[in-house]
Amino acid sequence: MTEDSARCPLLVLWDVDHTLIENSGVSKETYAAAFGLLTGREAELRARTDGRTDPVIMADLVERHGLTVTAEYQERFGEVLAAALSSRADRLREVGFALPGAREAIAALSAQEGVIQSVVTGNIRANAFTKVATFDLHHGLDFEVGGYGSDDHIRANLVGIARERASAKYGVWLDAGNTVVIGDTPRDVQAGRLGGAYVVAVASGSDGIERLRAEEPDVVLPDLADTAAVVAAVRAVRQVTGS
């Protein structure tokens, strides 16, 4: 970073599933497999995701099978989730894909002075990296400064965690005026807002433009296909906040 960009950095935090990549059902398979590794039982119910964090999803799945979420289970959530997805990396590569424009958007923002990019996601750190790296999207993203489901069960808190990590690593001041969250669900928008960030919503998942607009993000895009539009949406935070 130059001296000027260090004084006025920009932290861009990407959601993973349905924003950068389409997992084509592999995430649901992963939760089912993780449940089996954890309990020794076959999952009879599908995990309910909806933008929640991995530990919350797993706890919900355990409880819906009539089991108690013990401290031992909670301690093993990360272990079984990582093992379950790692064993399905080839399947993810086969049926999933990087969403149109994701690679180009990351590259274009990486070329901007002072931009730090990472992820804020309900996935545990290991699985967030596996999903993104499977489609070669990890270049330009600093996973050391992300916010993950393994950090806090409350999605909005992950924004602040990522901001603190990035501030400490890069020695810069980051606040609501120079943090941008990009995601595809109402929960992403809500988390970004509650976490004190400028929010760019992308209708690349199951929620349409109007549904996302109802949550009042700063910008709504139909997808990431228009790289210039993505960069403009992110850079607009400077115009809004004057940072």
Side-chain angles (χ1 to χ4, degrees), residues 29-31 33-34 37-38 76-89 124 126-127 130:
E29 295 174 12
T30 296
Y31 293 122
L37 292 172
L38 184 71
R76 293 189 60 209
F77 281 164
E79 167 199 336
V80 296
L81 282 164
L85 182 59
S86 178
S87 68
R88 284 162 178 75
I124 61 170
N127 286 7
T130 295

Side-chain angles (χ1 to χ4, degrees), residues 18 28 31 37 57 82 88 102 106 112 128 143 159-160 197 217 241 243:
H18 314 301
K28 292 289 179 67
Y31 293 122
L37 292 172
I57 292 168
R88 284 162 178 75
I106 292 170
Q112 300 285 312
F143 280 81
V159 179
T241 65
S243 62

Side-chain angles (χ1 to χ4, degrees), residues 78-153:
E79 167 199 336
V80 296
L81 282 164
L85 182 59
S86 178
S87 68
R88 284 162 178 75
D90 288 342
R91 175 161 172 75
L92 177 61
R93 187 175 294 107
E94 177 185 352
V95 301
F97 51 89
L99 284 166
R103 183 173 290 102
E104 292 81 2
I106 292 170
L109 288 170
S110 292
Q112 300 285 312
E113 282 289 335
V115 173
I116 303 163
Q117 292 185 85
S118 188
V119 299
V120 62
T121 173
N123 289 283
I124 61 170
R125 184 194 295 252
N127 286 7
F129 182 80
T130 295
K131 287 179 176 181
V132 173
T134 293
F135 303 105
D136 203 33
L137 296 178
H138 58 296
H139 304 292
L141 302 180
D142 186 345
F143 280 81
E144 290 184 358
V145 301
Y148 306 94
S150 40
D151 294 321
D152 197 300
H153 70 282

